[in-house]
PDB file of all heavy atoms in Angstrom:
ATOM      1  N   ARG A 200     -81.479  53.716-189.459  1.00 53.00           N
ATOM      2  CA  ARG A 200     -80.268  52.946-189.909  1.00 53.00           C
ATOM      3  C   ARG A 200     -79.116  53.093-188.888  1.00 53.00           C
ATOM      4  O   ARG A 200     -78.467  52.088-188.574  1.00 53.00           O
ATOM      5  CB  ARG A 200     -79.803  53.470-191.221  1.00 53.00           C
ATOM      6  CG  ARG A 200     -78.634  52.711-191.793  1.00 53.00           C
ATOM      7  CD  ARG A 200     -78.142  53.310-193.159  1.00 53.00           C
ATOM      8  NE  ARG A 200     -79.176  53.185-194.159  1.00 53.00           N
ATOM      9  CZ  ARG A 200     -79.348  52.083-194.878  1.00 53.00           C
ATOM     10  NH1 ARG A 200     -78.472  51.062-194.766  1.00 53.00           N
ATOM     11  NH2 ARG A 200     -80.267  51.977-195.803  1.00 53.00           N
ATOM     12  N   ARG A 201     -78.866  54.265-188.402  1.00 56.00           N
ATOM     13  CA  ARG A 201     -77.825  54.490-187.398  1.00 56.00           C
ATOM     14  C   ARG A 201     -78.115  53.706-186.200  1.00 56.00           C
ATOM     15  O   ARG A 201     -77.224  53.122-185.560  1.00 56.00           O
ATOM     16  CB  ARG A 201     -77.742  55.987-187.121  1.00 56.00           C
ATOM     17  CG  ARG A 201     -76.758  56.326-186.004  1.00 56.00           C
ATOM     18  CD  ARG A 201     -75.303  55.893-186.303  1.00 56.00           C
ATOM     19  NE  ARG A 201     -74.412  56.205-185.212  1.00 56.00           N
ATOM     20  CZ  ARG A 201     -73.237  55.613-185.064  1.00 56.00           C
ATOM     21  NH1 ARG A 201     -72.858  54.645-185.929  1.00 56.00           N
ATOM     22  NH2 ARG A 201     -72.457  55.991-184.109  1.00 56.00           N
ATOM     23  N   LEU A 202     -79.400  53.634-185.745  1.00 53.00           N
ATOM     24  CA  LEU A 202     -79.759  52.920-184.522  1.00 53.00           C
ATOM     25  C   LEU A 202     -79.409  51.418-184.783  1.00 53.00           C
ATOM     26  O   LEU A 202     -78.886  50.766-183.800  1.00 53.00           O
ATOM     27  CB  LEU A 202     -81.238  53.058-184.289  1.00 53.00           C
ATOM     28  CG  LEU A 202     -81.796  52.306-183.090  1.00 53.00           C
ATOM     29  CD1 LEU A 202     -81.095  52.681-181.811  1.00 53.00           C
ATOM     30  CD2 LEU A 202     -83.301  52.460-182.991  1.00 53.00           C
ATOM     31  N   LEU A 203     -79.704  50.856-185.893  1.00 56.00           N
ATOM     32  CA  LEU A 203     -79.486  49.446-186.176  1.00 56.00           C
ATOM     33  C   LEU A 203     -77.948  49.182-186.196  1.00 56.00           C
ATOM     34  O   LEU A 203     -77.485  48.193-185.733  1.00 56.00           O
ATOM     35  CB  LEU A 203     -80.121  49.010-187.455  1.00 56.00           C
ATOM     36  CG  LEU A 203     -81.666  48.943-187.445  1.00 56.00           C
ATOM     37  CD1 LEU A 203     -82.208  48.690-188.866  1.00 56.00           C
ATOM     38  CD2 LEU A 203     -82.095  47.883-186.441  1.00 56.00           C
ATOM     39  N   GLN A 204     -77.201  50.134-186.736  1.00 59.00           N
ATOM     40  CA  GLN A 204     -75.727  49.937-186.825  1.00 59.00           C
ATOM     41  C   GLN A 204     -75.123  49.900-185.434  1.00 59.00           C
ATOM     42  O   GLN A 204     -74.281  49.025-185.153  1.00 59.00           O
ATOM     43  CB  GLN A 204     -75.126  51.076-187.661  1.00 59.00           C
ATOM     44  CG  GLN A 204     -75.407  50.996-189.138  1.00 59.00           C
ATOM     45  CD  GLN A 204     -74.868  52.178-189.852  1.00 59.00           C
ATOM     46  OE1 GLN A 204     -74.535  53.232-189.257  1.00 59.00           O
ATOM     47  NE2 GLN A 204     -74.734  52.063-191.217  1.00 59.00           N
ATOM     48  N   VAL A 205     -75.584  50.728-184.554  1.00 54.00           N
ATOM     49  CA  VAL A 205     -75.090  50.763-183.199  1.00 54.00           C
ATOM     50  C   VAL A 205     -75.449  49.514-182.487  1.00 54.00           C
ATOM     51  O   VAL A 205     -74.642  48.889-181.771  1.00 54.00           O
ATOM     52  CB  VAL A 205     -75.577  52.013-182.478  1.00 54.00           C
ATOM     53  CG1 VAL A 205     -75.243  51.930-180.970  1.00 54.00           C
ATOM     54  CG2 VAL A 205     -75.026  53.241-183.083  1.00 54.00           C
ATOM     55  N   ALA A 206     -76.695  49.058-182.670  1.00 54.00           N
ATOM     56  CA  ALA A 206     -77.182  47.866-181.996  1.00 54.00           C
ATOM     57  C   ALA A 206     -76.303  46.612-182.327  1.00 54.00           C
ATOM     58  O   ALA A 206     -75.986  45.822-181.543  1.00 54.00           O
ATOM     59  CB  ALA A 206     -78.645  47.613-182.320  1.00 54.00           C
ATOM     60  N   GLU A 207     -75.987  46.497-183.674  1.00 57.00           N
ATOM     61  CA  GLU A 207     -75.245  45.385-184.123  1.00 57.00           C
ATOM     62  C   GLU A 207     -73.809  45.425-183.562  1.00 57.00           C
ATOM     63  O   GLU A 207     -73.256  44.431-183.211  1.00 57.00           O
ATOM     64  CB  GLU A 207     -75.258  45.311-185.635  1.00 57.00           C
ATOM     65  CG  GLU A 207     -76.581  44.934-186.268  1.00 57.00           C
ATOM     66  CD  GLU A 207     -76.566  45.034-187.742  1.00 57.00           C
ATOM     67  OE1 GLU A 207     -75.472  45.365-188.333  1.00 57.00           O
ATOM     68  OE2 GLU A 207     -77.584  44.737-188.413  1.00 57.00           O
ATOM     69  N   GLU A 208     -73.280  46.590-183.491  1.00 58.00           N
ATOM     70  CA  GLU A 208     -71.843  46.761-183.077  1.00 58.00           C
ATOM     71  C   GLU A 208     -71.689  46.495-181.612  1.00 58.00           C
ATOM     72  O   GLU A 208     -70.672  45.942-181.200  1.00 58.00           O
ATOM     73  CB  GLU A 208     -71.392  48.234-183.422  1.00 58.00           C
ATOM     74  CG  GLU A 208     -69.933  48.467-183.032  1.00 58.00           C
ATOM     75  CD  GLU A 208     -69.537  49.818-183.367  1.00 58.00           C
ATOM     76  OE1 GLU A 208     -70.344  50.620-183.986  1.00 58.00           O
ATOM     77  OE2 GLU A 208     -68.414  50.220-183.056  1.00 58.00           O
ATOM     78  N   TYR A 209     -72.695  46.828-180.778  1.00 64.00           N
ATOM     79  CA  TYR A 209     -72.510  46.687-179.333  1.00 64.00           C
ATOM     80  C   TYR A 209     -73.352  45.598-178.705  1.00 64.00           C
ATOM     81  O   TYR A 209     -73.499  45.569-177.457  1.00 64.00           O
ATOM     82  CB  TYR A 209     -72.872  48.068-178.708  1.00 64.00           C
ATOM     83  CG  TYR A 209     -71.847  49.165-179.017  1.00 64.00           C
ATOM     84  CD1 TYR A 209     -72.166  50.115-180.042  1.00 64.00           C
ATOM     85  CD2 TYR A 209     -70.618  49.213-178.441  1.00 64.00           C
ATOM     86  CE1 TYR A 209     -71.223  51.092-180.379  1.00 64.00           C
ATOM     87  CE2 TYR A 209     -69.670  50.193-178.722  1.00 64.00           C
ATOM     88  CZ  TYR A 209     -69.989  51.154-179.706  1.00 64.00           C
ATOM     89  OH  TYR A 209     -69.034  52.080-180.016  1.00 64.00           O
ATOM     90  N   THR A 210     -73.874  44.678-179.483  1.00 83.00           N
ATOM     91  CA  THR A 210     -74.715  43.650-178.920  1.00 83.00           C
ATOM     92  C   THR A 210     -73.836  42.740-178.017  1.00 83.00           C
ATOM     93  O   THR A 210     -72.762  42.345-178.355  1.00 83.00           O
ATOM     94  CB  THR A 210     -75.287  42.761-180.008  1.00 83.00           C
ATOM     95  OG1 THR A 210     -76.194  43.563-180.791  1.00 83.00           O
ATOM     96  CG2 THR A 210     -76.073  41.591-179.451  1.00 83.00           C
ATOM     97  N   THR A 211     -74.447  42.515-176.802  1.00 89.00           N
ATOM     98  CA  THR A 211     -73.799  41.512-175.922  1.00 89.00           C
ATOM     99  C   THR A 211     -74.577  40.225-176.026  1.00 89.00           C
ATOM    100  O   THR A 211     -75.800  40.172-175.793  1.00 89.00           O
ATOM    101  CB  THR A 211     -73.853  42.022-174.478  1.00 89.00           C
ATOM    102  OG1 THR A 211     -73.114  43.282-174.403  1.00 89.00           O
ATOM    103  CG2 THR A 211     -73.260  41.037-173.499  1.00 89.00           C
ATOM    104  N   GLU A 212     -73.849  39.131-176.342  1.00 92.00           N
ATOM    105  CA  GLU A 212     -74.510  37.853-176.567  1.00 92.00           C
ATOM    106  C   GLU A 212     -74.402  36.951-175.275  1.00 92.00           C
ATOM    107  O   GLU A 212     -73.367  36.866-174.680  1.00 92.00           O
ATOM    108  CB  GLU A 212     -73.867  37.148-177.784  1.00 92.00           C
ATOM    109  CG  GLU A 212     -74.072  37.849-179.045  1.00 92.00           C
ATOM    110  CD  GLU A 212     -73.555  37.056-180.225  1.00 92.00           C
ATOM    111  OE1 GLU A 212     -72.905  36.050-179.998  1.00 92.00           O
ATOM    112  OE2 GLU A 212     -73.712  37.518-181.391  1.00 92.00           O
ATOM    113  N   HIS A 213     -75.501  36.339-174.960  1.00 95.00           N
ATOM    114  CA  HIS A 213     -75.599  35.376-173.875  1.00 95.00           C
ATOM    115  C   HIS A 213     -76.037  34.015-174.389  1.00 95.00           C
ATOM    116  O   HIS A 213     -76.819  33.951-175.302  1.00 95.00           O
ATOM    117  CB  HIS A 213     -76.573  35.822-172.818  1.00 95.00           C
ATOM    118  CG  HIS A 213     -76.309  37.223-172.300  1.00 95.00           C
ATOM    119  ND1 HIS A 213     -75.315  37.460-171.354  1.00 95.00           N
ATOM    120  CD2 HIS A 213     -76.873  38.379-172.565  1.00 95.00           C
ATOM    121  CE1 HIS A 213     -75.318  38.756-171.078  1.00 95.00           C
ATOM    122  NE2 HIS A 213     -76.235  39.383-171.820  1.00 95.00           N
ATOM    123  N   TYR A 214     -75.482  32.964-173.853  1.00 95.00           N
ATOM    124  CA  TYR A 214     -75.823  31.628-174.361  1.00 95.00           C
ATOM    125  C   TYR A 214     -76.046  30.708-173.102  1.00 95.00           C
ATOM    126  O   TYR A 214     -75.122  30.602-172.285  1.00 95.00           O
ATOM    127  CB  TYR A 214     -74.688  31.085-175.209  1.00 95.00           C
ATOM    128  CG  TYR A 214     -74.910  29.669-175.720  1.00 95.00           C
ATOM    129  CD1 TYR A 214     -75.691  29.456-176.857  1.00 95.00           C
ATOM    130  CD2 TYR A 214     -74.318  28.583-175.113  1.00 95.00           C
ATOM    131  CE1 TYR A 214     -75.934  28.155-177.269  1.00 95.00           C
ATOM    132  CE2 TYR A 214     -74.525  27.295-175.516  1.00 95.00           C
ATOM    133  CZ  TYR A 214     -75.300  27.071-176.625  1.00 95.00           C
ATOM    134  OH  TYR A 214     -75.532  25.801-177.090  1.00 95.00           O
ATOM    135  N   VAL A 215     -77.148  30.030-173.042  1.00 95.00           N
ATOM    136  CA  VAL A 215     -77.470  29.081-171.966  1.00 95.00           C
ATOM    137  C   VAL A 215     -77.729  27.728-172.581  1.00 95.00           C
ATOM    138  O   VAL A 215     -78.739  27.502-173.281  1.00 95.00           O
ATOM    139  CB  VAL A 215     -78.697  29.544-171.177  1.00 95.00           C
ATOM    140  CG1 VAL A 215     -78.941  28.517-170.052  1.00 95.00           C
ATOM    141  CG2 VAL A 215     -78.423  30.879-170.533  1.00 95.00           C
ATOM    142  N   GLY A 216     -76.732  26.791-172.474  1.00 91.00           N
ATOM    143  CA  GLY A 216     -76.877  25.462-173.000  1.00 91.00           C
ATOM    144  C   GLY A 216     -76.784  24.452-171.927  1.00 91.00           C
ATOM    145  O   GLY A 216     -77.176  24.629-170.805  1.00 91.00           O
ATOM    146  N   GLY A 217     -76.167  23.283-172.272  1.00 86.00           N
ATOM    147  CA  GLY A 217     -75.949  22.242-171.280  1.00 86.00           C
ATOM    148  C   GLY A 217     -77.269  21.716-170.761  1.00 86.00           C
ATOM    149  O   GLY A 217     -78.184  21.367-171.560  1.00 86.00           O
ATOM    150  N   LEU A 218     -77.398  21.595-169.443  1.00 85.00           N
ATOM    151  CA  LEU A 218     -78.552  21.107-168.767  1.00 85.00           C
ATOM    152  C   LEU A 218     -79.641  22.169-168.646  1.00 85.00           C
ATOM    153  O   LEU A 218     -80.734  21.876-168.080  1.00 85.00           O
ATOM    154  CB  LEU A 218     -78.254  20.510-167.428  1.00 85.00           C
ATOM    155  CG  LEU A 218     -77.248  19.351-167.402  1.00 85.00           C
ATOM    156  CD1 LEU A 218     -76.904  18.893-166.002  1.00 85.00           C
ATOM    157  CD2 LEU A 218     -77.826  18.171-168.207  1.00 85.00           C
TER     158      LEU A 218
END
Side-chain angles (χ1 to χ4, degrees):
R200 181 183 296 275
R201 175 59 180 161
L202 177 60
L203 290 172
Q204 288 175 344
V205 171
E207 290 176 359
E208 181 179 357
Y209 291 101
T210 295
T211 298
E212 296 184 355
H213 305 282
Y214 177 83
V215 179
L218 299 176

